[in-house]
Amino acid sequence: MKISNFLATELEYELPRTRATLERVPGDKAGWAPHAKSMPLGKLAAHVAQLGGFGLTVATLPMLDFMTAGMKPLVFESAAQVVQALEAGTAPVQAALAKIEDAAWSEPWKLCVGERVIFEGTRFAGWRAMYLNHMVHHRAQLGVYLRILGVPVPSVYGPSADES
């Protein structure tokens, strides 16, 4: 199997689960955080949604420097808005995946903020660590937030206590 096909299969598996989690984010709790060091719920949901499109950067560029990229964080408005942002961001990612040859996954990829390197490795490792695993990690955080707020947690990797 081509590497891109393998990664596309993983992404297609994770996206409905991410969408289901974002759909449950209560808009009236956007400013809520479980701890002073935690991201507020709305900011976390917007981050997860915006990560959906980040795979395009990993797939098509040799690096990203946040100092020069001009990226602006998505501001949470509603669950519907972040779901739409996730879907809009991931559509070009899925199209780009279909065009990437296996050799490209071995090319170097870097993520930095000016001189501070956040990640440096192969494009494949960047895809997994900085894109897909990153999105799954923050989706899991959202699940914890939902649980604490008493919002039913969607089934992700098997039934949840709320959907069994």
Side-chain angles (χ1 to χ4, degrees):
M1 178 184 274
K2 204 174 141 190
I3 293 170
S4 293
N5 292 348
F6 171 75
L7 296 176
T9 300
E10 279 191 312
L11 183 59
E12 289 165 13
Y13 185 82
E14 297 299 344
L15 286 175
R17 288 142 182 86
T18 304
R19 185 180 308 107
T21 304
L22 289 173
E23 287 170 345
R24 297 192 184 191
V25 173
D28 64 336
K29 301 286 185 190
W32 181 86
H35 188 275
K37 292 183 180 181
S38 299
M39 227 186 283
L41 175 64
K43 185 175 180 179
L44 180 59
H47 181 58
V48 169
Q50 199 166 27
L51 277 170
F54 187 63
L56 187 62
T57 299
V58 179
T60 61
L61 299 175
M63 69 171 290
L64 177 69
D65 182 346
F66 283 116
M67 291 288 280
T68 59
M71 297 176 82
K72 294 184 191 254
L74 179 66
V75 176
F76 178 85
E77 296 170 9
S78 68
Q81 172 240 7
V82 291
V83 168
Q84 192 281 327
L86 174 74
E87 292 175 355
T90 54
V93 175
Q94 291 169 310
L97 266 179
K99 299 175 186 172
I100 300 173
E101 297 301 323
D102 279 356
W105 294 106
S106 297
E107 293 173 357
W109 194 81
K110 182 178 176 179
L111 180 64
C112 60
V113 180
E115 296 297 317
R116 187 173 72 108
V117 176
I118 297 169
F119 173 88
E120 192 165 18
T122 64
R123 183 180 312 275
F124 180 85
W127 176 276
R128 293 304 302 277
M130 303 315 299
Y131 176 49
L132 196 59
N133 293 355
H134 189 174
M135 185 167 48
V136 168
H137 161 75
H138 285 306
R139 179 185 71 208
Q141 284 182 301
L142 276 176
V144 172
Y145 283 33
L146 295 177
R147 170 67 68 227
I148 293 169
L149 289 170
V151 176
V153 177
S155 176
V156 175
Y157 299 124
S160 77
D162 299 312
E163 294 185 350
S164 52

